[in-house]
Amino acid sequence: MQKHQATQELFARVATGLVAESAVEMTTEAGALVEVWTISGALATVRASAPDRSIKAGMLLTCRLVIDDRANRVTVRVAEAVAEPGKRTVVTLKVVGAEAGEPVGAGEQAAVELIGSLSQLTGHAGESATVVGLSGQGATLLVTGGRPVVDGRYRLRFRSFEGAVEQEVAISAAHPSRQPGSSLAVCTFVDATPETLATIAGILERHASVQHRSMDDIRGSLGMNEGSAPLNRRVRDVAARPAFRTS
């Protein structure tokens, strides 16, 4: 009885998570991809719409959804599908499975602020992306103008004092951000080049050295004395900002 109740509670959380995503890319049993717009949810049921009129009642759809920093393989059954000419198909989805996987993220990351861009592998222009967390395995990005597709491959570009990085990344999680029109995305580096790894190592080394130095040492390095103007706020914030974890 308790196991059944726990399962139903999990399915209800999955339904809530699907609604929070607003748009979810799901895979049909035949392997086709379909973008489902989630509208509302109650318990383990989600009201949604789909563009593909081939979505029929009884079909099973799967997707990837992050819950409690774990990537869950979610399965839903199409309980009802109402297709109208010229309109999206209105569907009722019932959550029937949620298999938890490994924690998402890229391990312990240093809090940084590096302005860059995130683009499709075949495109040159991309969305504005600020690297807000960085490790030797991946990064956390604040992406403006859109939400990257989970499991999608992108090209991340940014510059730092140590050099420029242009690296293929795989998105492991994406969430709405508190900042309007933006999202937070966690990515891992795909076959990082020695140049990329060396640049990132330099960034992390500089970050660690600033983070653990006293304020007097920082003032001395900047040539400031007791009568000088207050230390630049950005330097002070970076010095006090702790590392954080994404998993």
Side-chain angles (χ1 to χ4, degrees), residues 166-186:
E166 182 172 337
Q167 174 63 46
E168 181 180 345
V169 297
I171 304 298
S172 56
H175 310 277
S177 168
R178 293 181 180 178
Q179 182 174 319
S182 65
S183 60
L184 280 172
V186 179

Side-chain angles (χ1 to χ4, degrees), residues 142-161:
L142 178 64
V143 183
T144 303
R147 188 187 304 180
V149 176
V150 174
D151 290 332
R153 297 292 182 88
Y154 293 82
R155 191 165 304 283
L156 173 64
R157 299 179 176 91
F158 63 87
R159 289 183 175 276
S160 69
F161 291 120

Side-chain angles (χ1 to χ4, degrees), residues 188-234:
T188 54
F189 301 136
V190 178
D191 297 329
T193 65
E195 292 78 13
T196 291
L197 294 176
T199 299
I200 292 174
I203 295 171
L204 296 177
E205 182 178 357
R206 171 167 56 85
H207 169 83
S209 66
V210 172
Q211 186 179 30
H212 294 100
R213 288 169 62 189
S214 68
M215 296 303 294
D216 289 339
D217 287 343
I218 296 173
R219 288 179 180 274
S221 297
L222 296 175
M224 302 177 66
N225 52 38
E226 292 297 326
S228 301
L231 185 63
N232 180 275
R233 179 168 296 183
R234 183 178 297 274

